[in-house]
Amino acid sequence: RAVLEIGCGTGNDAVRFVDAGARYTGIDLTDAAVKITKARIGDKGAVFKTNAEFLDFPDDYYDLVYSFGVIHHAINPENIIREAHRVLRPSGGIYIMLYNKFCFRYLIEILILRKILWYLHHPKFDDIRKHIPHPTKDQWLSMNTDTIGCPLSRVYTKKTATTLLKDFRFVTSDTFNFGWFRVVRGIK
């Protein structure tokens, strides 16, 4: 099966795909991720530096588009999903992980506990406070999901996540990792 991974990162999932016999293509926005993933999978797949909003792949080519923890950092996630739909074969599948809004990590840790640390001037926030002394709600979310200073992050409800895949059939959504990860699947 032909697999496209959007956001290959350090190649952890790429290794699993090629070891399972997939015809793997990985893409990422960073040179470092492309280099690391190429080194890990060798000639068992192809890895490119490219923007998932503008894929240079043919229509109806891939059996699976996979993205774990990437699309919620994109400027235009809808464009990525539109491109994923275009490059998928009829009856091809999409499997993505997005951050979930209604969970302990977001509602309690990010919105309450970390704000308490912020107002108490905890040293964890010293560097970011110099650049963003009064973060907006969106800035607060972005800087508290992955690492301090993450430039862009979103959280999704079940409804907003499944709406993102509105052009797909049989869309399902589940959560794991104590509710923080929302996995959304669909069929073209």
Side-chain angles (χ1 to χ4, degrees), residues 35-51:
K35 182 178 178 181
I36 291 167
T37 302
K38 279 183 178 181
R40 291 191 70 188
I41 66 169
D43 63 356
K44 294 180 183 177
V47 186
F48 304 101
K49 179 181 175 183
T50 192
N51 185 336

Side-chain angles (χ1 to χ4, degrees), residues 51-55 75-85 164:
N51 185 336
E53 293 183 47
F54 311 100
L55 295 175
I75 293 171
N76 297 302
E78 296 82 7
N79 293 351
I80 293 173
I81 299 301
R82 189 172 24 260
E83 280 291 272
H85 189 272
L164 190 61

